[in-house]
Amino acid sequence: MLENVFSRKPEFEIVTMSADDCREMSELHGQRFARGWNDGEFVNLLLQQNTYGFVARQTNALLFKPSLAGFVLAREVAGEAEILTIAVQEKLPRAGLGWRLMLAAMREAQARGGLSMFLEVDDGNGPALGLYRKLGFEIAGKRDSYYTDAEGRRSAALVMKRDLG
């Protein structure tokens, strides 16, 4: 019986992001990106009227308040939406959280009047590129030497676009 508690598949809930989530978002962002954003940067973005986001938390965790499993932060202005950043815990690959977070962001963009959505992704990030392509995003441009990793290597950013209509 006890082993079933520890071996069950995690279940997640996607909910609207709040300023209370910003500290955990900053921690996760710092783990997943060479230059993580601090909690003040997240709070400042969330205070902007056109910015919105969603967080994923495990609903069947043994902890009282489950840690942040992932998040997406986006904005919509004049019919164009943009994914500002998205991150999922490294220990949760292939759990479908990136997919679910992106769908939530795209639905919200449409509800706000968004006709298209843009994002930027490191051209060497194969898993993210695969996800975005499966979601219907196509390469719309390229920014050479845009990202710098922890060792100082530079890589290109691919600008991707998807129509929401």
Side-chain angles (χ1 to χ4, degrees):
M1 172 89 171
L2 189 57
E3 68 185 48
N4 288 342
V5 171
F6 294 108
S7 64
R8 67 181 163 192
K9 185 177 178 182
E11 298 171 9
F12 300 96
E13 175 182 46
I14 308 294
V15 297
T16 302
M17 181 184 291
S18 76
D20 293 338
D21 298 313
C22 289
R23 183 188 53 77
E24 284 182 287
M25 290 166 35
S26 175
E27 290 171 7
L28 177 55
H29 201 265
Q31 294 167 11
R32 303 301 286 161
F33 294 92
R35 190 260 183 241
W37 299 353
N38 65 46
D39 54 342
E41 290 172 296
F42 281 110
V43 169
N44 286 335
L45 283 166
L46 272 178
L47 290 175
Q48 297 175 16
Q49 186 176 9
N50 59 345
T51 303
Y52 62 92
F54 298 93
V55 296
R57 292 195 182 275
Q58 188 174 344
T59 57
N60 63 344
L62 298 175
L63 304 172
F64 179 71
K65 181 183 178 191
S67 64
L68 187 73
F71 69 89
V72 62
L73 184 65
R75 68 177 153 210
E76 188 281 326
V77 177
E80 289 188 352
E82 175 187 15
I83 298 294
L84 300 172
T85 190
I86 181 171
V88 174
Q89 288 281 353
E90 187 173 18
K91 64 184 178 186
L92 297 170
R94 321 259 329 136
L97 287 180
W99 180 271
R100 291 176 59 194
L101 288 164
M102 287 293 296
L103 288 178
M106 291 188 300
R107 279 193 297 270
E108 181 65 20
Q110 282 182 304
R112 290 171 177 246
L115 302 173
S116 59
M117 179 169 270
F118 291 86
L119 59 84
E120 292 175 352
V121 60
D122 189 313
D123 68 350
N125 189 340
L129 283 167
L131 169 66
Y132 302 144
R133 285 186 176 121
K134 285 180 186 174
L135 286 165
F137 284 84
E138 295 179 353
I139 296 172
K142 183 177 180 180
R143 296 181 179 164
D144 292 322
S145 299
Y146 188 77
Y147 295 111
T148 304
D149 69 12
E151 288 81 39
R153 292 182 300 249
R154 310 275 305 171
S155 59
L158 298 177
V159 178
M160 300 185 81
K161 178 186 177 186
R162 181 189 192 278
D163 291 333
L164 297 174

